[in-house]
Amino acid sequence: MDIPRLLARWRADPTIGGNVVHWHTQPAQPARLAEFPAYIHPALKQAMSSAGIHQLYEHQRQAWDALQANQHVAIATGTASGKSLCYQLPILNRLLSTPNSRSLLLYPTKALAQDQLSSIQALAERLEQNTEAEVRAAVYDGDTPGSQRTGIRQNARLLLSNPDMLHTGILPHHTRWAEFFQHLDYVIIDEMHTYRGVFGSHVANIIRRLKRIAEFYGRQPLFVLTSATIGNPGQLAVGLVEAPVQLIQTDASPRGERHFLLYNPPLVNPELGLRASMLQESVRLSEELYAAGAQAIVFGRTRRSVEVMLRYLRAVLDLVGETGGTSIRAYRSGYLPRQRRAIEQG
């Protein structure tokens, strides 16, 4: 993968660099580390060590300390900065000391929930090698087979779901979830920037109902909200949970140099102000990234745009004798659960 050479060529190429209206570069930064807290369970510390993790990033330690002090937390650090461990470690630590503890983890998409389940299960396997604790994490959403739902309600300690399922499948039937709510310690709201505007108001009402039902069962769970892309994380977090929140937004994770490019498709008819197709330009830039050996994600606003870009990219690769069938995949709503799981695993 030769990204520096690709970027240098883009700068010099007027058909690409000439259409970049802004190019911002963030320099690399080293990690800032912190020790594990004294209150970490020995089995969890051993599991982390076996995974090659011997220290935390500073923001991970700050989040854990805030939760230990019984504070709600909002974490707004960069992508791939280890936000998941900010709440996974406190959840597992509580589970080791209180086996009946329950946690609810809400994600805006089914794909995120499945990805997080894999992450939690990998850590749980290491944990269960050193202790008799059973983590028992499960996804509960529209794809969950009816035959499994009763078992999940009764046995899951970590429940991964989404606001829609919480609204339609859990809260209206809270008497079936009584044991879960009676031991609910943590509620995680991932990608909180998704919940803004009118939709955010709806989700805030769902969270209000969740808090009221949890209080009915004698619980006041701590909330952890995370986001990587938002300008006012503290304000949004307070609006969603309607309680004071400890904001953590200093990213202590290491990262390489980052480039942010704002690209405007070239004019094809200056008199009418018409520009080249956004989809075709996205495909053209994706071809360049593919040729450079870079992993890339291309987002589309609609199902159709995703499928069109996929078809164009595969057609281009077929012309040059490469097969994009397995190396380029689409992922969107409308696929069957079996198809989505296969794409996620690939």
Side-chain angles (χ1 to χ4, degrees):
M1 183 172 64
D2 196 354
I3 295 300
R5 183 177 298 177
L6 175 66
L7 293 175
R9 188 165 64 79
W10 279 5
R11 287 184 186 275
D13 186 348
T15 65
I16 296 180
N19 296 312
V20 174
V21 297
H22 185 71
W23 191 317
H24 175 69
T25 302
Q26 283 186 349
Q29 78 169 22
R32 298 191 304 279
L33 302 174
E35 299 298 325
F36 285 115
Y39 48 79
I40 186 173
H41 194 283
L44 181 56
K45 186 175 183 179
Q46 187 174 349
M48 297 297 290
S49 297
S50 67
I53 301 175
H54 305 285
Q55 290 177 298
L56 300 175
Y57 299 138
E58 286 182 354
H59 63 272
Q60 293 172 334
R61 175 62 190 271
Q62 291 168 4
W64 200 348
D65 286 343
L67 289 171
Q68 190 72 11
N70 209 38
Q71 296 176 313
H72 304 299
V73 177
I75 305 153
T77 56
T79 302
S81 61
K83 289 188 292 295
S84 296
L85 281 182
C86 289
Y87 55 79
Q88 287 178 0
L89 294 180
I91 286 174
L92 294 173
N93 204 58
R94 176 66 63 87
L95 193 59
L96 287 170
S97 59
T98 311
N100 285 328
S101 175
R102 305 291 204 278
S103 295
L104 175 64
L105 296 84
L106 300 175
Y107 301 94
T109 66
K110 295 176 182 177
L112 275 173
Q114 291 291 335
D115 180 65
Q116 284 294 311
L117 179 64
S118 299
S119 171
I120 291 170
Q121 287 177 334
L123 186 54
E125 288 177 4
R126 295 181 179 276
L127 191 60
E128 290 169 358
Q129 293 173 359
N130 304 314
T131 179
E132 296 180 355
E134 294 184 74
V135 174
R136 287 186 277 183
V139 171
Y140 192 87
D141 58 25
D143 291 344
T144 306
S147 59
Q148 298 179 12
R149 295 191 178 191
T150 299
I152 291 174
R153 281 197 299 267
Q154 295 174 348
N155 300 315
R157 297 295 185 266
L158 277 64
L159 188 73
L160 290 75
S161 190
N162 55 67
D164 289 331
M165 195 63 178
L166 178 64
H167 172 59
T168 61
I170 298 177
L171 296 182
H173 313 288
H174 62 85
T175 53
R176 298 181 183 180
W177 294 85
E179 186 173 359
F180 183 86
F181 284 114
Q182 286 169 359
H183 300 94
L184 182 60
D185 287 320
Y186 296 106
V187 176
I188 312 303
I189 303 175
D190 195 29
E191 303 289 339
M192 66 171 166
H193 60 271
T194 307
Y195 310 121
R196 61 185 187 271
V198 174
F199 178 53
S201 298
H202 291 321
V203 173
N205 278 321
I206 294 171
I207 295 171
R208 187 179 294 127
R209 288 173 57 208
L210 170 62
K211 292 172 64 177
R212 188 173 68 245
I213 289 173
E215 189 172 356
F216 174 79
Y217 288 99
R219 304 300 295 176
Q220 292 183 331
L222 291 175
F223 284 83
V224 181
L225 304 96
T226 70
S227 178
T229 50
I230 192 170
N232 59 336
Q235 180 184 0
L236 179 60
V238 170
L240 285 171
V241 303
E242 297 182 326
V245 172
Q246 178 65 41
L247 176 62
I248 297 169
Q249 57 181 345
T250 301
D251 189 342
S253 64
R255 64 166 181 257
E257 187 176 72
R258 293 177 175 176
H259 296 265
F260 296 86
L261 285 69
L262 298 183
Y263 182 87
N264 202 12
L267 284 168
V268 294
N269 189 327
E271 293 180 359
L272 297 178
L274 299 179
R275 295 186 176 273
S277 164
M278 179 185 69
L279 292 182
Q280 291 179 344
E281 290 299 295
S282 298
V283 169
R284 181 164 77 103
L285 297 175
S286 298
E287 292 172 35
E288 300 262 352
L289 290 167
Y290 185 91
Q295 288 185 323
I297 301 177
V298 184
F299 292 92
R301 289 184 176 274
T302 64
R303 297 181 186 183
R304 179 179 176 277
S305 65
V306 170
E307 293 296 337
V308 168
M309 287 190 288
L310 175 67
R311 187 169 67 249
Y312 283 164
L313 279 170
R314 285 181 171 173
V316 169
L317 293 180
D318 288 341
L319 287 176
V320 297
E322 298 187 38
T323 302
T326 56
S327 59
I328 299 178
R329 302 290 294 272
Y331 189 96
R332 59 167 175 78
S333 61
Y335 288 159
L336 295 173
R338 182 178 65 256
Q339 294 173 294
R340 290 202 296 271
R341 297 298 91 78
I343 295 169
E344 291 159 6
Q345 292 171 7

